[in-house]
Amino acid sequence: MNFSVENVRAQRVWFDKNNLWLALVDGRQLSIPKIYFSRLKDASEESLANYSLSGGGIGIHWDSLDEDLFVPNLLLGINAVTKKSVSA
């Protein structure tokens, strides 16, 4: 099994009270605090559950929230908060 960032793909997304969780196709699970994502942190459970995977799992899209995440970036710790603080 290749565990490189280039091959990372999500197969499932779910949330608990404070975190975004990803099940990756290689068996790993990734947890990221929802507070890092301004459009996800206060969204309803129904909106959070209404996502689609794109590119075979390299992208996650929430149409109703106008949010897109790139899974390899999440594994590297790159998220909306990081991008904001870098450009500020």
Side-chain angles (χ1 to χ4, degrees), residues 15 34 39-40 43-51 62 65:
F15 294 85
K34 284 193 306 187
R39 293 183 177 138
L40 302 179
S44 70
E45 287 183 29
E46 181 180 352
S47 293
L48 293 173
N50 188 19
Y51 70 89
W62 288 266
L65 301 172

Side-chain angles (χ1 to χ4, degrees), residues 1-20:
M1 175 97 23
N2 187 342
F3 291 107
S4 71
V5 172
E6 294 82 25
N7 295 321
V8 67
R9 304 263 188 273
Q11 69 181 36
R12 187 168 80 94
V13 177
W14 72 98
F15 294 85
D16 64 22
K17 180 179 177 183
N18 298 309
N19 299 292
L20 158 68

